[in-house]
Amino acid sequence: MNFRARQKWPMWLPVLLSVACQGWEPVLVSSGEFEPMLNVVAVLSPDGPEVTVLIQQILPMEGPSGTGEIRIDTVWYEDWVTGDSSYFLQEYEVSRFEVNDAVVSMAWADSSVDFAYAGASAQNWHMSRYRPIGAGFVPRGGVTYQLSINTPGGLAVTGSTTVPRTARMIASYTPDTLSASEPVPLAWEASTGFYQINLNYDFNLETERFWCIRDVQEVVLDDTTWLGEPLVVPECPPAPGDFIWYTMSVAALDSNYYRYFIRDPGERSNFTFFLLGEGDEASAYGIEGGLGVFGAYRSDALVRLVVP
Amino acid sequence: MPLLAQQGTISGFVRDSTSHETLSYANVFVQGTGLGAVTNRDGYYVINGVAPGPLKVVASIIGYGLVEREAALPAGGNLRIDFELSPAVLAFEEVSISAQRQRFREAVEVSTVTLSSRDIEVAPAFAEADLMRTLQLLPGVQSVSDFSAALYVRGSTPDQNLILVDGITIYSPFHLGGIFSTFNTDAIKEAEFIAGGFSARYGGRMGSVIDIVNRDGNASGLAGRFNISLISAKGLLEGPLPKIGPLTGTYMFSGRRTYLDKIVDLALIAAGESDEIGLPYHFSDYQVKVNFDIGTRHRITLSSFNGLDILAVEDETTDSYDRFEPGGSSVQESYTSRFALDWSWGNTANSIAWRWIPTPQLVTKFYLAGSRYRYGISVSDYYKSAVLSGPDAGSYESSSQFDVYDLVEDRTIRLEASYLPSSKHTTLAGFEYKALHFNLAWLFSGSVTSTDTSFSYADTSLWIEYRPVEQAAYLEHRWRATARLALQFGLRVSHFSLHGRLNPEPRLGLKFFLREDLALTGAWGRYFQYLTTANPSDENLRIIDLWLPAPADRPAPYSEHTILGLEYLSDNNFQIKLEVYRKTFANLVYLKQGFIFFLGPDAEESPEQVLSEFLPAQAKSRGVELLLRKNQGKLRGWAGYSFSQTLWKTEEFDWYPPKYDRTHTFNLVGDWQLSERWHFSTAYTFATGNPYTPLLGRYSGLGWTPYGPPSQNDYWFETRYLAGAKHSARYPYYGRWDLSLVRSRPGRNGAKREFYIQVLNLLNRANVFQYYYQEKYDPRTYRSLGIERRVIPMFPIIPTIGWRYEF
């Protein structure tokens, strides 16, 4: 072997090149310590939409989010340029998040109701929707409900929440008609201590002044009165003849609902670079053994006319 | 007359004869007496207890010719002898005692590294030499990414670094989101970096000190240097002021500006696209220093420092046209739309300093300084439409303005006196008064004017303003107890008006010589800090800093440093430093992570509350650092290794490593004078990857709708990733190898021209700045394949060139 001849080659060069330009390619990732869990959203309200229990399972990082069987929906929309109706084909895989074989029941006092799988959620096809079996399940204020979910795969979640008593609005506290330039006073009977106030308008104003009117949403803690700002921007009053109807509601929230939807809305992200974060600290309120929320609220409302 | 009463004092300054810059740690001694002294950082020396009569005084420092002066000292009198030493490149070996050796013998400086302008200039850098980038290569200093020149020192964050330029505190001295520091290296004479255990004269920060001294200006004639790099042009001019009676002086001016915006503008004009928006960003900085010497005892120094970044965009559209009505008639209409964004941030600092030497042993300094950091974003929108003819003739005009700004102002008065009664004792006492002003605001305003209505509105969404006062008195005494032992005691007592209590900050330092070339060092101290930045603690790209005072309702944050070390300096100036440290941080605060820009429906989540809602934290760090440094010869540089562990503790996450924690860091900086014309330098960094939070799984999370009554109809969903334990994983190791090659050519009359080429990240390694995740789909079937992780990398391979001219 000619040792000298070999020395003419820079032996370190391949090593150098092998470490160069590394790490630029994307890679498929896998979870380190993955623990299967259910993610549950269940909200009870006597005056809300029909009670449904939304269930999905947490997936590890690896693997597809669908099983590969595709269904195709035709989605119609109005073309905003031409005004014509048009459509596109939305392709779906069968979601691996979806849980369609869970045994779901809700119990209170000496009663209970079972829930049955009703397909994918209208808002999210990854989320399975379970509806009460039989008609007439309406949650009642002041009653504590126990949620139980079990899957054949061994995943189990329990939950508990108490539907608040109505924070009944005191009609005499709020004038029959509101002035555009006066603040709005509201008062209600005490309930949970967590209250969400919503003021929504309906109007017949000239459209160019619609932005002069406020929709209001506020959260009040541990108080039973609220004094809002004038509903109409003072410098932009309604013209004579204009009128505005305001629907004012106060929802008493249970603490699970408050913490999940309002205090920590959408869970908490650790943003490190613009909007790129390092994942979410998913939370569980009113839920044991999984993620999500089992919450409740109850609303009361007044309607008032706002005059210029 | 008693013998002691007859003894006198010799004092003065030692300067470079060509530049007239003072020389620190020069050796001055009275020949044949054993009496001597070493110049301090101002180049000043005092030799006490000198017997009267004729004598010969000698001054020397490595790199300069030895100078002897003969004089006669009167009995009980004082003698002022200033030296001017000439650079003597070939006389290295003739000078036996170097500045570094003197410093090693005299100073009780733990965790301190001094960088000369040469050290800073020769290190490879991104487009421009940068002090902060060079400091990042020292042991104990970590960086969070290539995109930031900010320093994370021994577990401290950048807002815990005290940055001084000629004694003025500078806040957030960075351009372009932290990529460059504001300091023009041409202006720097030297920079002292103290990683911990600093003495009582420094206060207000609990991390480290970067004390920059700018050039005084050349007293012997006009001099200058100019540099053109890929991104900026910079220059420096210095020279003497005209002599007026006893008044002499010098000046120094340096400035820098990026010019890519101008080049893009010219290119657009050449392409006939002058209406297009070019590059709307540039930065500039300048530093001015003027010294006035009045006789030999008084010096007045005026300094000004300014750095500014501007991102400005303006766009205007105007049109008029005829709109045809169904009947065939037409209506003339017009509109004007204007949008402007003005985003600027930067520093301004001005100071006046008066140095008075009433007696040779007493040097007093008086500083009056103002320093300001401000960023502001101003967005304005204007729209006007008009119907110019027909029955509907009229106009509609609206304008809106959105302003966000943050301001920290610091007005400082400082009095300082140093007393040098003997070579064994040095005392420093001082008082500092800082009037601070913090103001963070979000403002909206606008107006609408139409044919039948007109109004304006203004809203202050956020207004946080404080005007606290920080005061401190300090006393520091250095005592050379024996030939082997030097001690330094210090006490700083500080007071912050928002807290209303006195906080003692004791400081101790020692140096014990095991051998003439080997010393054991140690330091302990407590350090209070009364201001903080309100940026989210986990962000790794910080465009701007939000400065706020430490919350009044919480105890003042402070840290304690304990440092032990061994320092060796060989005869040929090869230095080895080994240090072990432990730091604890108490009463820290961090900003609640949350919805700063996305306001929740809850009144609690208003920006004012989020920005002022600090949560308590504590932290600790420990580490070992090793520095091997060679300071002379054709091959110079250093190798540094740091082992570091930093942990933060919060109620939410318990103990976890912060984003900037790197366990192992190895730096190699080499600087090789290949020949008279060629110069090569290199820097290599290897470090443990920064921590990040791994993902455990994914789910289709429930979003949140801010409006409407609570109802399941308001839900929306998105793919979310379930985070694991905070910062429990680490990115792959960080590695970067930079090179620089300089070719020098002599010009006329001693001028020098240099052309340089630099390559950053020679191996093009994809150091991870951030991971992001997305679903990967089969491009043919569009079926999900799983979650794909992509890398947002730091610097790729970047070659740069530049040209420098010095005269």
Side-chain angles (χ1 to χ4, degrees):
Chain A
M1 181 182 290
N2 186 337
F3 184 76
R4 283 182 176 276
R6 286 187 62 193
Q7 287 300 298
K8 288 180 182 175
W9 291 92
M11 297 301 290
W12 48 269
L13 194 59
V15 178
L16 199 65
L17 293 174
S18 69
V19 297
C21 307
Q22 280 187 348
W24 295 86
E25 307 81 17
V27 294
L28 287 168
V29 291
S30 59
S31 300
E33 302 167 6
F34 176 71
E35 183 185 352
M37 262 189 293
L38 294 179
N39 184 25
V40 175
V41 178
V43 176
L44 304 182
S45 177
D47 34 42
E50 179 194 30
V51 173
T52 56
V53 178
L54 304 177
I55 304 172
Q56 67 168 199
Q57 58 183 333
I58 311 296
L59 291 182
M61 296 294 281
E62 60 268 23
S65 56
T67 60
E69 291 182 28
I70 297 176
R71 77 169 189 272
I72 298 176
D73 284 350
T74 305
V75 180
W76 288 90
Y77 65 98
E78 185 178 297
D79 190 318
W80 64 274
V81 177
T82 63
D84 298 335
S85 290
S86 188
Y87 69 92
F88 64 89
L89 298 177
Q90 176 74 55
E91 297 184 357
Y92 292 101
E93 295 171 293
V94 174
S95 172
R96 288 177 60 220
F97 290 102
E98 206 183 1
V99 178
N100 56 17
D101 53 1
V103 178
V104 182
S105 67
M106 212 175 281
W108 68 98
D110 298 328
S111 305
S112 68
V113 61
D114 293 331
F115 285 67
Y117 174 68
S121 158
Q123 290 82 28
N124 180 5
W125 60 283
H126 288 315
M127 191 78 91
S128 323
R129 188 179 50 165
Y130 288 77
R131 299 172 63 181
I133 296 172
F137 173 59
V138 178
R140 294 191 313 234
V143 175
T144 299
Y145 292 83
Q146 309 293 335
L147 174 69
S148 168
I149 302 172
N150 290 281
T151 70
L155 301 178
V157 161
T158 59
S160 176
T161 189
T162 302
V163 177
R165 296 185 186 282
T166 306
R168 199 167 305 284
M169 298 181 72
I170 301 169
S172 59
Y173 193 81
T174 306
D176 291 339
T177 55
L178 300 174
S179 164
S181 58
E182 294 294 326
V184 181
L186 294 181
W188 57 90
E189 294 173 1
S191 177
T192 59
F194 307 106
Y195 306 104
Q196 186 169 18
I197 295 169
N198 289 283
L199 280 66
N200 303 99
Y201 65 85
D202 187 14
F203 61 95
N204 76 335
L205 291 174
E206 294 290 331
T207 53
E208 71 179 45
R209 276 205 293 267
F210 76 95
W211 59 271
C212 298
I213 310 163
R214 297 189 175 107
D215 263 349
V216 178
Q217 188 167 63
E218 291 264 356
V219 170
V220 176
L221 303 178
D222 298 323
D223 201 352
T224 54
T225 59
W226 177 77
L227 186 64
E229 293 183 2
L231 298 170
V232 177
V233 177
E235 298 86 352
C236 183
D242 287 340
F243 61 87
I244 311 164
W245 287 104
Y246 260 99
T247 303
M248 308 172 183
S249 68
V250 173
L253 317 173
D254 86 315
S255 65
N256 297 336
Y257 188 102
Y258 167 73
R259 286 184 289 173
Y260 190 84
F261 289 103
I262 294 174
R263 196 189 69 181
D264 304 324
E267 295 87 23
R268 289 164 291 174
S269 294
N270 298 315
F271 295 129
T272 55
F273 175 58
F274 294 122
L275 296 182
L276 286 176
E278 291 189 329
D280 307 303
E281 299 149 33
S283 46
Y285 296 115
I287 292 287
E288 294 285 335
L291 303 177
V293 62
F294 185 32
Y297 68 92
R298 194 158 191 195
S299 295
D300 192 25
L302 290 176
V303 177
R304 289 289 186 269
L305 181 69
V306 181
V307 295
Chain B
M1 193 182 224
L3 192 61
L4 274 176
Q6 293 182 33
Q7 290 177 345
T9 299
I10 301 172
S11 64
F13 287 89
V14 179
R15 294 189 172 89
D16 179 308
S17 66
T18 53
S19 69
H20 285 253
E21 295 286 344
T22 54
L23 297 171
S24 52
Y25 294 97
N27 188 46
V28 185
F29 58 93
V30 183
Q31 205 169 52
T33 64
L35 295 172
V38 175
T39 55
N40 64 12
R41 211 170 170 215
D42 292 332
Y44 186 71
Y45 73 93
V46 181
I47 305 173
N48 292 296
V50 183
L55 43 80
K56 187 183 283 184
V57 186
V58 181
S60 69
I61 187 171
I62 194 165
Y64 290 85
L66 183 143
V67 172
E68 297 178 353
R69 293 277 298 274
E70 292 184 1
L73 178 67
N78 298 326
L79 197 59
R80 170 79 178 249
I81 302 179
D82 291 343
F83 288 92
E84 294 205 339
L85 308 187
S86 301
V89 177
L90 301 176
F92 279 161
E93 309 308 324
E94 295 174 12
V95 184
S96 59
I97 301 172
S98 72
Q100 193 179 359
R101 174 149 299 279
Q102 283 297 358
R103 189 166 192 159
F104 175 68
R105 284 180 180 170
E106 298 294 329
V108 183
E109 294 175 331
V110 181
S111 306
T112 303
V113 173
T114 301
L115 295 176
S116 65
S117 59
R118 183 184 185 282
D119 294 324
I120 302 161
E121 286 289 346
V122 298
F126 173 48
E128 304 245 330
D130 195 304
L131 167 65
M132 295 301 205
R133 296 283 180 185
T134 308
L135 291 174
Q136 284 182 340
L137 296 168
L138 292 173
V141 184
Q142 296 169 335
S143 68
V144 75
S145 81
D146 288 348
F147 303 121
S148 172
L151 308 182
Y152 295 80
V153 183
R154 292 184 175 175
S156 291
T157 49
D159 59 346
Q160 294 168 359
N161 300 327
L162 176 65
I163 301 173
L164 298 168
V165 175
D166 289 329
I168 317 171
T169 305
I170 306 292
Y171 296 81
S172 305
F174 299 106
H175 290 303
L176 197 57
I179 291 182
F180 301 99
S181 78
T182 319
F183 306 116
N184 184 343
T185 52
D186 284 345
I188 296 173
K189 178 185 167 189
E190 67 171 28
E192 190 170 85
F193 171 66
I194 312 172
F198 43 89
S199 65
R201 77 177 67 181
Y202 299 113
R205 300 290 189 281
M206 58 176 138
S208 70
V209 175
I210 300 147
D211 191 355
I212 300 162
V213 177
N214 274 339
R215 298 165 68 92
D216 283 334
N218 195 323
S220 57
L222 178 67
R225 58 175 72 173
F226 297 95
N227 184 97
I228 295 176
S229 72
L230 279 184
I231 61 157
S232 75
K234 63 180 180 178
L236 176 140
L237 279 176
E238 56 183 349
L241 294 171
K243 185 176 180 185
I244 305 169
L247 187 70
T248 59
T250 56
Y251 68 89
M252 183 278 295
F253 170 81
S254 75
R256 172 171 63 164
R257 190 193 189 282
T258 55
Y259 54 73
L260 275 178
D261 56 325
K262 297 295 179 191
I263 290 177
V264 172
D265 285 349
L266 289 173
L268 289 173
I269 291 169
E273 302 283 348
S274 55
D275 291 342
E276 295 295 319
I277 296 172
L279 178 68
Y281 170 80
H282 74 270
F283 72 72
S284 61
D285 50 55
Y286 71 79
Q287 296 174 61
V288 181
K289 189 172 181 179
V290 182
N291 291 302
F292 299 98
D293 288 313
I294 308 163
T296 58
R297 293 186 170 190
H298 297 274
R299 164 170 278 202
I300 292 173
T301 302
L302 304 176
S303 291
S304 183
F305 174 93
N306 188 289
L308 183 65
D309 288 55
I310 294 177
L311 174 67
V313 180
E314 190 168 337
D315 188 35
E316 182 173 312
T317 309
T318 303
D319 199 7
S320 63
Y321 50 88
D322 290 331
R323 179 166 58 81
F324 291 93
E325 297 284 312
S329 62
S330 67
V331 175
Q332 195 178 6
E333 294 183 351
S334 71
Y335 76 90
T336 300
S337 172
R338 190 185 308 134
F339 170 81
L341 165 71
D342 186 352
W343 183 355
S344 61
W345 66 95
N347 297 90
T348 304
N350 298 293
S351 75
I352 179 168
W354 171 35
R355 186 184 68 202
W356 175 36
I357 307 176
T359 72
Q361 290 94 348
L362 185 64
V363 180
T364 62
K365 290 178 182 175
F366 173 72
Y367 290 89
L368 197 61
S371 180
R372 186 178 82 149
Y373 168 77
R374 183 186 191 279
Y375 90 80
I377 303 172
S378 176
V379 181
S380 62
D381 186 50
Y382 171 80
Y383 179 79
K384 181 178 182 180
S385 63
V387 178
L388 303 174
S389 60
D392 296 330
S395 67
Y396 173 83
E397 191 173 351
S398 70
S399 66
S400 64
Q401 177 89 22
F402 172 51
D403 290 290
V404 180
Y405 68 84
D406 180 46
L407 173 77
V408 54
E409 284 181 317
D410 172 341
R411 293 188 175 87
T412 299
I413 299 172
R414 186 163 68 240
L415 288 162
E416 197 172 273
S418 46
Y419 181 56
L420 307 98
S422 73
S423 60
K424 288 188 173 180
H425 295 277
T426 306
T427 303
L428 178 85
F431 173 76
E432 189 175 72
Y433 176 94
K434 277 179 182 287
L436 300 163
H437 178 208
F438 302 88
N439 191 192
L440 175 59
W442 294 14
L443 309 169
F444 291 91
S445 62
S447 64
V448 171
T449 305
S450 65
T451 307
D452 58 353
T453 185
S454 174
F455 65 92
S456 61
Y457 57 93
D459 184 35
T460 302
S461 299
L462 173 67
W463 185 269
I464 298 175
E465 186 172 25
Y466 297 96
R467 292 181 180 274
V469 172
E470 182 182 338
Q471 298 175 79
Y474 52 93
L475 182 69
E476 182 181 304
H477 184 75
R478 188 174 61 82
W479 176 35
R480 187 66 189 243
T482 69
R484 284 177 177 270
L485 180 64
L487 296 167
Q488 187 162 290
F489 312 98
L491 178 66
R492 186 180 182 95
V493 180
S494 55
H495 180 273
F496 191 57
S497 59
L498 291 185
H499 293 146
R501 55 171 293 178
L502 286 172
N503 289 312
E505 303 178 51
R507 317 277 170 92
L508 294 171
L510 73 85
K511 192 172 218 175
F512 182 76
F513 287 87
L514 302 167
R515 298 186 334 207
E516 191 172 290
D517 56 0
L518 181 67
L520 182 70
T521 57
W524 180 85
R526 179 177 293 166
Y527 306 86
F528 277 88
Q529 176 161 342
Y530 302 107
L531 71 173
T532 184
T533 49
N535 297 60
S537 55
D538 284 338
E539 69 179 4
N540 55 7
L541 186 71
R542 182 173 289 196
I543 304 290
I544 49 176
D545 286 332
L546 302 169
W547 287 95
L548 286 175
D553 58 346
R554 295 184 184 278
Y558 70 90
S559 74
E560 288 182 354
H561 305 185
T562 308
I563 303 161
L564 270 178
L566 269 176
E567 189 174 351
Y568 166 80
L569 187 67
S570 75
D571 289 341
N572 58 356
N573 275 334
F574 182 73
Q575 184 186 26
I576 302 175
K577 282 176 96 167
L578 176 69
E579 289 192 351
V580 182
Y581 70 87
R582 178 179 164 77
K583 274 167 92 170
T584 56
F585 303 78
N587 305 333
L588 292 177
V589 291
Y590 74 100
L591 188 71
K592 178 185 177 185
Q593 298 259 327
F595 290 75
I596 295 177
F597 299 107
F598 303 94
L599 309 184
D602 184 350
E604 284 188 327
E605 297 289 351
S606 71
E608 180 163 6
Q609 178 129 1
V610 170
L611 283 169
S612 59
E613 189 165 354
F614 289 98
L615 301 174
Q618 56 176 304
K620 59 185 179 185
S621 69
R622 61 180 181 173
V624 180
E625 293 163 7
L626 177 67
L627 175 70
L628 313 176
R629 191 176 184 191
K630 186 172 181 296
N631 273 332
Q632 67 182 65
K634 288 186 175 178
L635 178 62
R636 304 183 192 190
W638 68 82
Y641 167 75
S642 306
F643 167 78
S644 168
Q645 276 188 331
T646 302
L647 293 171
W648 269 63
K649 185 182 183 184
T650 61
E651 289 176 4
E652 197 174 3
F653 298 110
D654 204 17
W655 290 102
Y656 68 93
K659 195 81 190 165
Y660 52 86
D661 179 56
R662 289 177 170 177
T663 312
H664 304 280
T665 307
F666 173 74
N667 290 303
L668 184 65
V669 179
D671 161 17
W672 192 9
Q673 189 72 47
L674 297 167
S675 69
E676 205 169 300
R677 289 192 171 184
W678 289 94
H679 182 270
F680 171 79
S681 62
T682 184
Y684 180 76
T685 300
F686 170 88
T688 310
N690 293 87
Y692 75 99
T693 304
L695 301 183
L696 300 182
R698 57 196 155 129
Y699 62 107
S700 185
L702 191 61
W704 150 80
T705 306
Y707 300 108
S711 148
Q712 291 187 33
N713 294 326
D714 298 319
Y715 303 162
W716 54 278
F717 297 86
E718 61 186 11
T719 298
R720 289 178 173 272
Y721 300 110
L722 195 59
K726 189 174 178 69
H727 293 173
S728 58
R730 287 185 181 268
Y731 295 134
Y733 77 86
Y734 173 92
R736 204 178 97 191
W737 184 18
D738 303 339
L739 296 179
S740 170
L741 191 64
V742 182
R743 184 170 192 264
S744 303
R745 295 184 67 183
R748 291 178 184 171
N749 302 322
K752 190 168 72 173
R753 287 174 289 172
E754 287 182 347
F755 175 78
Y756 58 87
I757 181 165
Q758 300 181 330
V759 183
L760 259 69
N761 195 8
L762 185 72
L763 299 181
N764 196 29
R765 179 177 168 74
N767 292 306
V768 179
F769 175 70
Q770 171 92 35
Y771 284 143
Y772 73 97
Y773 303 85
Q774 62 184 32
E775 192 114 21
K776 184 176 185 180
Y777 294 99
D778 185 308
R780 291 176 297 108
T781 63
Y782 204 64
R783 290 181 180 172
S784 163
L785 299 174
I787 301 298
E788 185 179 69
R789 186 180 71 200
R790 286 175 176 267
V791 169
I792 300 175
M794 300 187 201
F795 284 160
I797 183 170
I798 303 177
T800 63
I801 56 172
W803 182 81
R804 208 160 29 218
Y805 180 73
E806 189 174 330
F807 65 92

